[in-house]
Amino acid sequence: MKKYKITKNVRDNILTYGIVILAYFIIQMMIHTGKISSLMQGLLVPLCIYVILAVSLNLTVGILGELSLGHAGFMCVGAFTSAFFSKCMEDVITFGFLRFALALLIGSLSAALVGFLIGMPVLRLKGDYLAIVTLAFGEIIKNVVNVLYIGKDSSGIHFSMKDSLSLGLMEDGEVIINGAQGITGTPKDSTFTIGIVLIILTLFIVLNLIHSRDGRAIMAIRDNIIAAESIGINITKYKLMAFSISAALAGVAGVLYSHNLNSLMATPKNFGYNMSIMILVFVVLGGIGNIRGSIIAAVVLTLLPELLRGLNNYRMLIYAIVLILMMLFNWSPKLVELRKRFSPRRLLNRTREVQ
Amino acid sequence: MAALLEVNNLSISFGGLRAVDDFGISIKKGQLYGLIGPNGAGKTTVFNLLTGVYKPNEGIITLDGANITGLKTIEINKAGIARTFQNIRLFKDLTVLDNVKAGLHNHYSYSAVEGIFRMPRYFKMESAMNERAMELLKVFELDEEAGYLAANLPYGKQRKLEIARALATKPKILLLDEPAAGMNPNETIELMNTIRFVRDNFDMTILLIEHDMKLVSGICEELTVLNFGRILTQGPTSTVLSDPQVITAYLGE
């Protein structure tokens, strides 16, 4: 039997998984010893959501090399379809875990489907044009959800885009999606542990995809589309594949989001372009194409405003400065050189040479 | 013997400009064929027509008996034409090994699900791919650099890697667009040996565009000379190069 060689990629991946698992155990320990405030505990699930979003967007921006500004839209699709499912099934499936697993499946598949349908026309565009159109689609999704009324009674499911009265529900009926007021009373199934499991699942899918035949094709398209075509790689297929998987994982984040809140509404704050751009900021600051960087950037930039709460007025100022510093630290050529010189690996080699 | 690549009456216009007019060529299996001509004569346009980047206005392209006129680039590659580019087009942020493995894409296949969930077929195919890619890299003396990023290779090796990647797609005919561009005389001689080696060892048919007359007269068996999109003359290398018409148009008196 051939000896299995641990390549650089495998080592890199193990480190990424390791960081997530280690962080989980440290936080669990801190919760048990009461070292984390309840405010911070409330932030743990959103943290997982942002990490999943950042990693999934990195698949589009870093690996496929296309700028997408509609990521929050796919999250919105995942959130609403799964919340709708859970609300309908709340009495039918009482076993929370099974219900959540099915909601997860439905949320991610419907987000993938929307990603696929939007991707088909949109991925013919490049660069800024693609960014603008995805931005528009993200907003469209949010606005469509805002005028959606869906209700349920003994005769079945009713649907309207006018108001809840025109649903014509019978007395036993119940409005599930109530337009701009969204869905209320979604079962609160999301926990920090589930969030971490979903982060690991996301990492598993993204990292394994990158290091497979299909990931290679996607990155070949990113690096040189003409050459990729000339060696027989199907451009449309792989662009759509990357975009849909990215959308599906944003849907997973949406499921986590909707099952963490009592009432789910589509507002500019949670599913608007502000959110899409914030996710893009995580990806850019963490390093485009660098999955581990996305995780770290998402965590740091989510925790920072909360940690700085005591500083009140200076909070956003410091946040902005940290953004700029992170950008410089990651991308300025001089600093990149400096970082290489003082990297742990190099220092380790030097001590070895001295010995 | 029937020709491997047969092109008849190939023409394309861009607006009012007839970039390639009534182009015809017939290349036998195993031949080393040269396409030369002054700048702007339409040589690269012919390559782009043959590989489906442009659709011809007129004409028929037949590869190994099959009509491939008007097919898409990826279909033409699957039919058996692979090419390199005048300005090198590698996958710069992939490793040297991954560049060649990308070339093997259509020959070792497994689905995305098998890849993501690391099913047995993934391991089987990946190790077969690695083996085949390393074989190719060894031929081009690139095996030591397999883990490097393609962008970090020196120029001459990038050219070689591009040829290796094209060969990985198992073509019937290989089109090389100015393979010696930017090379010094020593590198050019090495390249000539590589091209001959590829022809002999891979049983390959090669059509190349080149300006370096030493390379052309050194390895090409037959030539076609293009000028202003039309064929000036074609035939065995020695006859063509001594043709007074060619000398005036291209080589200078």
Side-chain angles (χ1 to χ4, degrees):
Chain A
M1 218 177 107
K2 232 188 282 175
K3 207 180 142 198
Y4 185 66
K5 215 173 73 196
I6 292 185
T7 57
K8 193 172 161 288
N9 289 338
V10 175
R11 221 175 13 202
D12 247 29
N13 293 354
I14 291 173
L15 184 62
T16 312
Y17 292 122
I19 287 175
V20 175
I21 293 168
L22 192 70
Y24 173 69
F25 281 114
I26 289 173
I27 290 172
Q28 281 296 355
M29 231 142 59
M30 285 167 82
I31 290 174
H32 282 297
T33 52
K35 289 238 167 59
I36 294 183
S37 66
S38 61
L39 186 79
M40 275 299 177
Q41 283 194 31
L43 213 62
L44 290 175
V45 175
L47 210 60
C48 296
I49 295 168
Y50 290 133
V51 168
I52 295 172
L53 284 170
V55 171
S56 65
L57 185 64
N58 210 338
L59 182 60
T60 306
V61 176
I63 307 303
L64 178 64
E66 299 287 6
L67 196 55
S68 163
L69 291 179
H71 217 54
F74 300 127
M75 181 190 172
C76 183
V77 172
F80 272 86
T81 49
S82 64
F84 177 73
F85 172 80
S86 291
K87 192 88 198 298
C88 286
M89 291 294 156
E90 204 175 355
D91 306 324
V92 184
I93 308 171
T94 44
F95 181 41
F97 180 75
L98 178 69
R99 188 179 58 220
F100 185 77
L102 287 173
L104 194 66
L105 202 65
I106 285 171
S108 54
L109 285 181
S110 48
L113 180 71
V114 173
F116 181 79
L117 291 176
I118 291 177
M120 246 193 306
V122 156
L123 285 173
R124 290 160 198 266
L125 300 169
K126 282 192 198 94
D128 304 350
Y129 303 101
L130 179 69
I132 292 166
V133 176
T134 47
L135 178 77
F137 270 108
E139 290 296 297
I140 290 170
I141 292 174
K142 187 198 80 201
N143 287 325
V144 166
V145 167
N146 261 327
V147 295
L148 214 57
Y149 296 86
I150 299 179
K152 178 181 85 162
D153 61 17
S154 49
S155 67
I157 287 174
H158 300 261
F159 166 86
S160 160
M161 293 190 85
K162 234 165 85 198
D163 51 45
S164 54
L165 286 177
S166 55
L167 286 173
L169 291 178
M170 280 184 273
E171 266 177 30
D172 63 333
E174 182 193 12
V175 181
I176 295 177
I177 300 182
N178 192 8
Q181 270 126 47
I183 302 176
T184 43
T186 319
K188 209 164 176 302
D189 289 335
S190 297
T191 61
F192 179 52
T193 307
I194 288 180
I196 289 286
V197 169
L198 291 179
I199 289 180
I200 289 172
L201 179 77
T202 306
L203 284 175
F204 181 81
I205 290 174
V206 172
L207 291 174
N208 281 357
L209 178 73
I210 294 175
H211 299 119
S212 76
R213 168 176 172 268
D214 304 272
R216 209 157 34 232
I218 292 166
M219 290 189 283
I221 293 170
R222 170 194 70 191
D223 281 359
N224 201 312
I225 194 164
I226 295 174
E229 216 173 358
S230 86
I231 55 169
I233 289 174
N234 189 337
I235 308 285
T236 324
K237 176 182 160 190
Y238 285 106
K239 272 190 171 181
L240 270 175
M241 182 192 278
F243 199 70
S244 310
I245 293 177
S246 173
L249 294 174
V252 169
V255 176
L256 205 55
Y257 180 86
S258 64
H259 289 73
N260 187 43
L261 299 169
N262 244 325
S263 73
L264 176 71
M265 282 181 281
T267 63
K269 218 179 136 218
N270 57 5
F271 297 131
Y273 68 93
N274 279 326
M275 179 65 143
S276 296
I277 286 175
M278 196 168 82
I279 307 165
L280 188 66
V281 167
F282 297 155
V283 172
V284 172
L285 287 178
I288 291 175
N290 182 347
I291 303 295
R292 202 187 312 145
S294 294
I295 301 175
I296 294 169
V299 171
V300 170
L301 292 178
T302 316
L303 287 184
L304 204 61
E306 297 303 323
L307 292 175
L308 294 177
R309 211 167 263 282
L311 292 166
N312 245 335
N313 291 340
Y314 299 103
R315 189 157 75 105
M316 288 326 279
L317 178 71
I318 294 174
Y319 183 79
I321 291 173
V322 169
L323 274 187
I324 295 169
L325 286 182
M326 259 175 103
M327 190 63 142
L328 286 175
F329 182 74
N330 259 351
W331 296 98
S332 142
K334 280 268 165 60
L335 277 173
V336 168
E337 223 172 80
L338 199 74
R339 247 171 41 210
K340 271 188 192 146
R341 199 179 306 157
F342 292 105
S343 76
R345 195 168 299 159
R346 213 188 125 101
L347 291 175
L348 214 69
N349 284 345
R350 199 180 295 160
T351 38
R352 237 178 253 155
E353 274 163 34
V354 172
Q355 284 166 352
Chain B
M1 198 178 104
L4 179 74
L5 181 74
E6 181 95 50
V7 179
N8 283 313
N9 187 29
L10 197 67
S11 304
I12 188 170
S13 304
F14 299 115
L17 176 75
R18 212 158 170 78
V20 173
D21 189 14
D22 195 18
F23 180 84
I25 203 171
S26 170
I27 303 176
K28 291 188 207 67
K29 191 167 170 14
Q31 219 172 12
L32 250 167
Y33 203 106
L35 182 60
I36 63 172
N39 288 328
K43 307 180 294 294
T44 298
T45 309
V46 168
F47 268 30
N48 284 339
L49 285 169
L50 292 179
T51 53
V53 177
Y54 303 141
K55 304 264 169 290
N57 299 131
E58 288 166 52
I60 291 174
I61 306 165
T62 322
L63 179 72
D64 213 3
N67 185 356
I68 58 164
T69 323
L71 291 185
K72 283 187 197 148
T73 306
I74 59 167
E75 287 158 352
I76 287 181
N77 178 260
K78 283 179 190 164
I81 297 184
R83 71 175 292 185
T84 65
F85 297 87
Q86 192 173 349
N87 43 344
I88 304 175
R89 289 177 182 275
L90 288 173
F91 307 130
K92 290 200 171 112
D93 290 330
L94 296 188
T95 62
V96 169
L97 182 68
D98 277 349
N99 265 272
V100 179
K101 280 165 86 177
L104 295 168
H105 185 82
N106 286 327
H107 298 285
Y108 295 84
S109 146
Y110 56 84
S111 72
V113 175
E114 285 169 316
I116 288 172
F117 295 101
R118 295 288 192 257
M119 293 181 192
R121 202 173 146 80
Y122 163 86
F123 292 104
K124 203 176 128 208
M125 283 298 162
E126 280 291 312
S127 78
M129 266 171 139
N130 278 334
E131 216 165 280
R132 176 81 190 115
M134 284 310 287
E135 261 172 47
L136 271 168
L137 287 177
K138 219 164 257 166
V139 168
F140 290 92
E141 291 164 351
L142 286 165
D143 47 326
E144 302 218 334
E145 287 95 340
Y148 287 28
L149 289 188
N152 295 343
L153 283 183
Y155 188 80
K157 293 200 168 182
Q158 292 196 2
R159 285 261 174 225
K160 282 185 173 178
L161 177 57
E162 220 189 6
I163 299 176
R165 184 184 67 190
L167 280 176
T169 67
K170 288 189 193 160
K172 291 172 181 154
I173 182 165
L174 184 62
L175 312 187
L176 305 177
D177 197 346
E178 292 202 32
M183 284 190 173
N184 65 35
N186 287 335
E187 285 175 323
T188 307
I189 290 170
E190 207 192 314
L191 179 76
M192 284 166 67
N193 294 331
T194 310
I195 294 175
R196 274 203 207 96
F197 181 87
V198 168
R199 196 262 303 262
D200 298 340
N201 279 45
F202 290 84
D203 217 2
M204 192 55 59
T205 313
I206 296 171
L207 170 63
L208 61 90
I209 294 177
E210 192 46 71
H211 279 300
D212 190 320
M213 277 307 130
K214 219 165 81 202
L215 187 144
V216 170
S217 56
I219 60 173
C220 291
E221 289 142 5
E222 266 188 64
L223 289 182
T224 289
V225 186
L226 271 184
N227 199 18
F228 298 115
R230 306 192 116 254
I231 291 174
L232 200 62
T233 176
Q234 52 193 169
T237 303
S238 53
T239 336
V240 169
L241 288 183
S242 55
D243 188 324
Q245 253 188 311
V246 175
I247 293 169
T248 1
Y250 186 42
L251 299 173
E253 283 173 71

